[in-house]
Structures are given as C-alpha cells and as structure tokens.
Amino acid sequence: MAITYEPNTRTFFLDGAGVSYAFHINDAGYAEHLYWGASIPHDDLRYTCCRQQACWHITPPGRDGEPSYQSYAPELAFFGTGDYREPAVLPENAAGDRLCELLYAGHEILPLKPAMAGMPSMDGGETLVLHLRDGITCFGADLYYTVYDDCAVIARRAVYRNGADAPVTLRRAYSFSLSVPGRDYEVLSLYGDWAAERRIQRTPLPRGVVAVDSKRGMSSHTMNPFLALVSPETTESIGEAMGVSLVYSSSFVLKAEGTTSGETLVTGGIQDMDFSWELAPGEVFETPEVVLAYSNTGLGGMSRAFHRAFREHLINKRQVKARRPIVINSWEATYFSFDLPKLKAFVDAVVGTGIDTFVLDDGWFGKRDDDTSGLGDWVVNTNKLEGGLIPLINHVHSKGLKFGLWFEPEMVNEDSDLFRSHPDYAIGVPGRSRCYGRHQYVLDLTRQEVRDHIVEAVNHILHTHPIDYVKWDFNRTVTEFWSCGREPRRQAEFAHRFALGLYDLCRRIVEGNPQVVFEGCSGGGGRFDPAMLAYFAQIWTSDDVDAEERTRIQYGTSLVYPLSAMSCHVSACPYGRSISFETRGHIAALGATGYELDPTHLSTKELEQVSNLTVAYREVQELILDGDLYRLADPFTGNRFSFFVVSPDKERALLTVYRRLVDPLHQVERLCLAGLAPDKIYTIPELGIQATGATLMRVGLIPVFPTEDFRSVQYTVVAIDATK
Ligand code: DGJ
C-alpha cells in the first residue's frame, strides 16, 4: 500500500518508488514531520523527535510548560504562537489578528487524485488529505500528499478554507512546509537571463533564509521555480539531493531556512510580496502543487525522478510521447521581412531533407513590420502575404510539409487596432503611464472579457486555416499588477489571478484545438516551468542558439526538465564562432529538434548534412522522448559536455560528447558510461567496440574527436540481442 496510517503511533507512511515520507500527529495534535528519504520499513519513528526546550522558547497558547511549536518539525508552519521560522500561511482574521493554530482534525486516503480547479497538477498516484483546523476561528488547511509507484516523487499542496462566518484575508498562502534534519546543506538553484537561461548556482546554506523567487508575473528567465538541498559532497552520481519544483507560472518564492536549532526548513509557493487574497465565509483557496524529488544517487537521480514524474503524470498527455515535428522556423532567417515568394523559396529549399514542418514566426499579422506595432491584431497582413495565409499553407502542404504559425496571445502594442478600440484591455493604472517592454503591453488576463476576446481571435485563425502547429510566445514581464475589473482592496490578488487567467486561456486554446501541436515560448525560455509543460509538451529553451552556449543552457535545464520538453534548433553561428554543422545538429538533437536559419543560403553539402541529421534523429527519437538521462560531463566546470540517454529497458542508448577546445597536449580522456545493464553485452558500431555494460561503465571508452575546437561525436550503444 502506498499510504498507510498506523493508529497506535498516529503515523502516516507514504511509500513511493524507492522513497518513503513519514509524519505523525503528536500529543499536541500537531502534524510533525518524521522522515523523507530512501524507502524504510514502518518502524515507530517518534524517537527522532528530540525536544530541546530552551528557556527562551514560547509555549503554545494557554499551555504553559508544554513544548514550543518551534520545537516540532512542521508539515505546515504557522505564525504568532511561538514559532518564528518561515510560516506557510498568514490568514488575517476579522479582528485583524493573523493567528491560527493548525492542528489535526481528520484525514482521508483517496485512490484517485482530485484534479485542481484552475491550475495544472500531476495526475495518478494515491493521495492523502490531512485536515488541519484552528479551533477558535475554524480556519482550515487541507494538506494533499500524492505518492507514486513509478517515480521517486511526492506531490504536495495546501488548500486553505475559511470556516468562520466573516471574511479572512490571506496575506501569505504557501503550498507546503518541509523540515529536513541537519543544516549542513548546499542550496542549488537555476538563475539566468534572456539568452542565458538556467545556469546552475550552488551555495552553502547559511543560518537564515535563502530565497529563490520571481516578482515578474511569470516564472522568469532570472530564477526558475526550483530549489534543491544537496549535501556538500553530492556529485552528479553520488549523495543526497532533495529537489523542489513548483508547478506554477507566475510570481513565486521558494525558501530554504537554516534554523538556529539545527534543522532546515523548505517552504514556498505563490510569491507573497504584493499578495493578498480575500476569502468569504466557506470559501477555499487552492495553492499550486509542488513536486518533491528525493535522490541518494546524486543530482542525476533527482533529475531522472523529475523527468519520469513529469513525463508520466504532468506533461500534455496527447503529445508527451508522440514523435515531434522537425521544424524549420522563419525567425532568425527573416525576422519581420518576408513575402510569399521568399517564404515559398524557403519551403522549397528544405523539401526532401526530412524537415517536415514549416513555422512562420512573428510578423504575419496586423501592421507588423517591426516590434513596435500590430500585436493584438490577429488578422493576416496581406501586404506581406498576398491572398492571406491560404496560398502559403497550400504551398507548404503541397510540398508534403505541415504548417505552423506564431502567436503572442497575451500581448498588445499601443499601435494596434485592439489597443485603439480597447485600451483598458492592457494592464495599467488610470492616471499613470504604462511601462513598455519590447514596445508592448500585457493584456489583463484576469478579466473574462479579455480572455474571451483572445480565445475568439486566436481560434478564428485556427478554425479557418489548416494549421498543424502553433508557437505561443510571451515577450515581456508583467508590471503595474492592477486590473480595472477588481475593487481596490483586492488588487494584490492580481499576480495569481493572472496565472489563473493564463491557465484558462491554455485550456481553451491548447486543449480546445487537439489537432494542433503547441510549443511554448517566452522570449526564449522565460516561462519554462512544469505548469506550462502541462499544456506545451515542448518549450523553446532559449533564444541563444549558439551550440556552445546551448550545452550549458540545456545542461542546466535538464536538472529538472526532460529532454523531450526542450525545443532545440540548429542555427547559424551567432557569435562568429566556427562550429561545424554536425556539432550544431548533435546538440540540437538533444531535444525536440529543428532548424532556425535561412535554408536558401545552405550549400548542397549542408543540405545533405541536414538530411543525414534528420535521418539520425528519427532513429533515436524514442530515446529523446522517453530515455533516462545520465549527464556524463559538465560544461560549466570542464572542457567537455556529455549527455547519455538510455532506453527504459536498457537495450539502446545514445551518447553525445562535445569537446569545447582542442587540448594541445593530446591527453586521452576516457568517459565512463552509466545506466546500462551490467550483464548485457553492447556494441558501439561507430567505435567497433563490443563490451558488457559493466565494462563500459567501469572502464569507459575514448571518444575520438576531429582535431578542431567545438566538435562533438555521437555514438549509438545497442544491446546485442536488440540488434537482431
Ligand atoms: C522571441 C522568441 O523567443 C523568438 O524565437 C521569436 O519567436 C521572437 N520572440 C519573435 O518575436
């Protein structure tokens, strides 16, 4: 059984694939954390609860002499009654106090996980709902825990309930508290910027609070909604890693607190800087889900747990394991400057190369000759495309390719018909100028009529044209955080309501057009988060398409997200580095691959290389879609980058190794593989090697690079019986 309640010790055990999580209800009625880690039997774990009653400790209200709430490891920390660690919730009651003592009030074990009302979440698994309640105000928190028999993650979230007969205002409503014994950890997070997404940062946990956050109304390029605690000695393949990934796309915060009493508290969810939420009597507030991945096989184990969980239980079901299109995208080749003959020549140039989808990027609609105008007007620009989109689509289809189109549904330019007729649709505070970002404003997704307008405009194009693929972009951060559709005291609900509005749009447009493959995008990878993946099985990883930079961007992204989620294209060399076409193809093949260049400028040899690369990609695509990733060399710390992807049955694998700079000493560097079956015999045809998995993993192999900088090799590893 995945979830067990031991009545004698009042302990809950949650047992997933290789992972256990336990807490108990103590004598005070407090849900006290006991354990999260590798699978354990159901022993009485209460001996681990060590009460250190310092003379400065505050006892619970009215219970002098009892242990302080601060001395318990919380499942959900609350404030104002003696616990000074980061609380998960701050309800402001009718009297203006922010007190709640959330104690046990019952539980349920559900065989079917209830879906969340307005937000994406993991499906499947077995779910425990723990009811906590404040005895005075009847304010409640329902804690949801879901455990899976096919992946080492626990999904958690909290639902807050106003049980009083007067309104309550939530000043903070995080999704969880998690207590981890000890304080000797490092905090790992993914920071970055436009064109430099998801770099890895690892810093010692201090005493005090470390926060990873976004206040941008989007999950952001600058900080991904992810944080991990790792032991100082943890490497890619050894040691503990405890990852927290928030299924959310708006402003967020995740915190790790090294407490003075020696344990570490992790908490977070919706960003509470500039947040409040009014709950009428009887109303509930759902918080976004958080996915906790545990590994004692290093960062690699943590990543594989996230990848499996997201692929099996979160990412767009229809598309997650479907073969992806190999696209040629117009953006880097044409920007806003194109017409029908130019695009037809573009399409003609790739016929027969294996590229199967042409994507027309920005610039096809409204008055859109640069980025200062036209956004919001989803009407074909017939000055550029005489006769509309149909002649182009017919041409694309006649050549055997599919047709894709770019939208940026959530935005508007001041110079647009939409803004001229509905200026109030753009977020902004009356009497104040609005901030520009890429010369554009953000539409107020918190308003139903704005969302209805967007759905109608986008659907009109999708329903009147045979469109197979859509790239959905989002090119600036949110500012002003105010809506004319809401009363003044409820304006700090904006950032979260924006997320709910976004999910409503995605449901109606993405799920409403199941014939279309949707790709997410946000000025590169600015909204690369688990919630977006529930709709978009692939997301444009970065506007930086230089293969050298991409090794780091894709490496960092893979800490949390599977290869199949990363959209990766071959482009020209943007920084003047001379990187071979083959290498660019190898790096772009480590995801949903495609091309982002002008094919009419490619030589015959390069077009042949495109054909070779697409054939090779189709042969290994199942590995990209469903393989287990082993990162063998880290481009942040060394001269090489290597991803090794192994099929779940360990019959096939793909090795990609990239060497940045030639080593004039010509040192021979071996590379040990990982994740193979030790007893199986494998061949590596490109190297003429036949050896057991054990040998390949312990002795390794020697990649043979051409003597040039920025070169890669790609080898297939096949079990002998699989070759028959
Ligand atoms: C940003 C995206 O990341 C690019 O790929 C491209 O679609 C541009 N927007 C178009 O404006």
Side-chain angles (χ1 to χ4, degrees):
M1 263 257 277
I3 297 175
T4 320
Y5 177 60
E6 303 280 357
N8 294 339
T9 59
R10 300 219 290 174
T11 300
F12 294 91
F13 286 97
L14 288 74
D15 297 301
V19 62
S20 294
Y21 186 108
F23 64 89
H24 77 133
I25 307 302
N26 70 18
D27 291 344
Y30 188 96
E32 185 173 24
H33 183 77
L34 293 169
Y35 179 75
W36 177 40
S39 295
I40 52 164
H42 294 184
D43 291 317
D44 183 352
L45 297 175
R46 291 175 299 169
Y47 69 90
T48 61
C49 303
C50 171
R51 312 267 175 254
Q52 300 210 342
Q53 192 69 358
C55 60
W56 268 86
H57 272 187
I58 301 290
T59 60
R63 306 207 297 271
D64 202 9
E66 286 194 17
S68 167
Y69 285 140
Q70 170 115 14
S71 65
Y72 302 146
E75 287 298 313
L76 197 82
F78 44 83
F79 178 74
T81 48
D83 186 350
Y84 296 99
R85 297 166 297 187
E86 281 290 321
V89 60
L90 264 185
E92 185 177 313
N93 300 309
D97 66 279
R98 279 88 54 222
L99 299 185
C100 63
E101 283 177 274
L102 291 166
L103 302 176
Y104 178 74
H107 71 270
E108 297 159 71
I109 295 174
L110 310 176
L112 283 181
K113 182 169 189 263
M116 289 173 67
M119 277 183 280
S121 59
M122 303 252 294
D123 66 8
E126 193 177 2
T127 299
L128 166 69
V129 190
L130 181 74
H131 303 292
L132 305 177
R133 212 167 65 110
D134 178 83
I136 307 293
T137 61
C138 298
F139 180 78
D142 293 337
L143 307 191
Y144 286 71
Y145 300 80
T146 305
V147 62
Y148 296 87
D149 57 15
D150 60 353
C151 47
V153 306
I154 311 268
R156 284 195 56 182
R157 64 190 171 96
V159 175
Y160 298 107
R161 183 181 304 278
N162 178 7
D165 50 15
V168 163
T169 302
L170 295 171
R171 298 280 174 213
R172 169 180 289 187
Y174 288 170
S175 300
F176 72 113
S177 303
L178 176 70
S179 178
V180 181
R183 214 188 44 78
D184 191 13
Y185 294 107
E186 293 176 345
V187 179
L188 193 141
S189 57
L190 297 172
Y191 73 99
D193 207 331
W194 174 79
E197 290 89 340
R198 291 169 291 283
R199 296 185 174 202
I200 299 172
Q201 171 171 252
R202 190 166 162 168
T203 49
L205 175 73
R207 285 192 165 77
V209 177
V210 175
V212 165
D213 82 336
S214 160
K215 304 177 189 76
R216 296 164 189 257
M218 62 193 288
S219 43
S220 89
H221 302 84
T222 41
M223 281 286 176
N224 200 258
F226 159 77
L227 173 155
L229 293 181
V230 298
S231 305
E233 63 276 7
T234 293
T235 66
E236 181 59 24
S237 54
I238 295 169
E240 277 199 313
M242 292 169 264
V244 175
S245 173
L246 186 68
V247 187
Y248 195 54
S249 314
S250 187
S251 305
F252 72 90
V253 62
L254 290 171
K255 297 174 178 170
E257 178 174 8
T259 69
T260 44
S261 53
E263 102 277 19
T264 301
L265 186 78
V266 186
T267 189
I270 294 170
Q271 170 68 266
D272 52 322
M273 192 291 307
D274 196 34
F275 167 84
S276 72
W277 194 279
E278 193 175 293
L279 280 183
E283 268 185 354
V284 298
F285 181 80
E286 293 210 81
T287 63
E289 189 161 71
V290 67
V291 180
L292 312 176
Y294 175 82
S295 160
N296 55 10
T297 53
L299 294 172
M302 175 195 75
S303 299
R304 286 186 291 280
F306 277 131
H307 298 174
R308 184 158 297 280
F310 291 161
R311 279 194 308 242
E312 300 303 325
H313 300 288
L314 181 69
I315 300 177
N316 180 321
K317 285 272 164 304
R318 213 164 22 84
Q319 285 168 11
V320 61
K321 298 207 182 158
R323 292 195 135 210
R324 306 292 173 75
I326 300 182
V327 310
I328 175 98
N329 178 294
S330 64
W331 178 245
E332 301 261 332
T334 67
Y335 295 112
F336 298 99
S337 166
F338 53 80
D339 56 19
L340 186 59
K342 190 169 179 177
L343 296 179
K344 279 184 168 176
F346 207 87
V347 173
D348 294 347
V350 302
V351 171
T353 59
I355 289 174
D356 57 25
T357 304
F358 166 72
V359 179
L360 177 57
D361 209 282
D362 197 350
W364 59 269
F365 52 89
K367 190 183 118 208
R368 186 75 170 166
D369 295 320
D370 56 34
D371 57 13
T372 61
S373 62
L375 273 180
D377 297 341
W378 303 111
V379 178
V380 186
N381 180 329
T382 47
N383 291 334
K384 289 187 194 178
L385 295 169
E386 209 186 326
L389 284 171
I390 293 291
L392 175 63
I393 299 178
N394 285 345
H395 184 77
V396 172
H397 285 168
S398 75
K399 299 290 174 180
L401 273 73
K402 295 193 166 174
F403 180 77
L405 197 61
W406 180 96
F407 286 91
E408 193 173 3
E410 301 155 76
M411 298 289 170
V412 65
N413 282 120
E414 203 166 31
D415 185 0
S416 68
D417 291 341
L418 177 63
F419 188 79
R420 277 183 284 276
S421 54
H422 291 292
D424 61 297
Y425 278 16
I427 300 170
V429 179
R432 288 181 177 272
S433 297
R434 295 174 172 92
C435 300
Y436 295 97
R438 208 195 187 205
H439 315 288
Q440 66 200 48
Y441 301 141
V442 187
L443 290 171
D444 182 355
L445 303 190
T446 71
R447 288 169 60 193
Q448 177 79 42
E449 61 271 44
V450 177
R451 297 198 301 275
D452 290 347
H453 169 83
I454 295 171
V455 172
E456 199 183 315
V458 174
N459 271 348
H460 178 70
I461 296 286
L462 296 183
H463 294 167
T464 52
H465 298 80
I467 290 168
D468 310 291
Y469 180 101
V470 163
K471 177 175 171 189
W472 177 319
D473 210 342
F474 181 83
N475 277 304
R476 59 157 288 184
T477 53
V478 180
T479 48
E480 282 102 20
F481 299 91
W482 187 91
S483 172
C484 62
R486 205 145 290 278
E487 53 275 55
R489 68 173 202 285
R490 303 195 69 164
Q491 290 295 342
E493 297 180 5
F494 187 92
H496 182 54
R497 287 195 183 275
F498 189 83
L500 297 178
L502 166 63
Y503 301 140
D504 180 54
L505 274 190
C506 290
R507 252 193 317 277
R508 292 162 71 188
I509 297 177
V510 178
E511 292 175 6
N513 289 284
Q515 77 285 5
V516 178
V517 172
F518 281 84
E519 168 165 303
C521 176
S522 174
R527 209 161 55 181
F528 206 121
D529 62 61
M532 285 290 92
L533 285 174
Y535 304 102
F536 306 102
Q538 60 189 61
I539 299 178
W540 183 228
T541 312
S542 175
D543 275 346
D544 197 330
V545 268
D546 174 66
E548 158 67 19
E549 292 301 324
R550 274 301 186 109
T551 60
R552 283 183 288 279
I553 292 168
Q554 293 171 209
Y555 190 98
T557 304
S558 79
L559 268 241
V560 186
Y561 306 99
L563 298 188
S564 63
M566 295 184 219
S567 178
C568 306
H569 292 177
V570 176
S571 78
C573 297
Y575 299 126
R577 289 174 184 139
S578 168
I579 303 187
S580 76
F581 207 88
E582 187 185 55
T583 295
R584 286 181 265 156
H586 286 165
I587 303 303
L590 295 168
T593 202
Y595 293 78
E596 189 96 11
L597 38 70
D598 188 340
T600 62
H601 292 167
L602 293 181
S603 64
T604 314
K605 180 162 176 257
E606 285 170 325
L607 284 166
E608 256 170 46
Q609 284 177 307
V610 175
S611 302
N612 296 339
L613 286 166
T614 58
V615 168
Y617 183 74
R618 286 297 182 211
E619 275 169 15
V620 298
Q621 192 177 15
E622 267 62 40
L623 286 169
I624 303 296
L625 290 173
D626 200 27
D628 289 321
L629 174 66
Y630 292 83
R631 290 177 292 253
L632 303 184
D634 178 353
F636 287 98
T637 54
N639 194 31
R640 295 194 297 183
F641 156 88
S642 178
F643 275 2
F644 186 51
V645 199
V646 184
S647 65
D649 62 6
K650 300 190 183 295
E651 291 285 294
R652 283 173 192 279
L654 175 72
L655 174 65
T656 304
V657 196
Y658 163 86
R659 182 178 64 179
R660 185 173 303 127
L661 298 179
V662 169
D663 174 8
L665 292 175
H666 299 292
Q667 296 179 94
V668 174
E669 283 185 288
R670 286 198 204 172
L671 192 70
C672 287
L673 306 188
L676 296 173
D679 299 334
K680 281 192 193 217
I681 299 172
Y682 295 92
T683 65
I684 306 179
E686 298 88 343
L687 291 175
I689 295 177
Q690 183 164 317
T692 56
T695 296
L696 292 170
M697 292 192 288
R698 290 175 201 148
V699 180
L701 52 74
I702 301 162
V704 185
F705 296 101
T707 318
E708 271 175 33
D709 292 343
F710 310 120
R711 289 303 297 252
S712 60
V713 288
Q714 209 159 59
Y715 302 138
T716 44
V717 179
V718 187
I720 295 278
D721 48 3
T723 59
K724 288 180 188 144

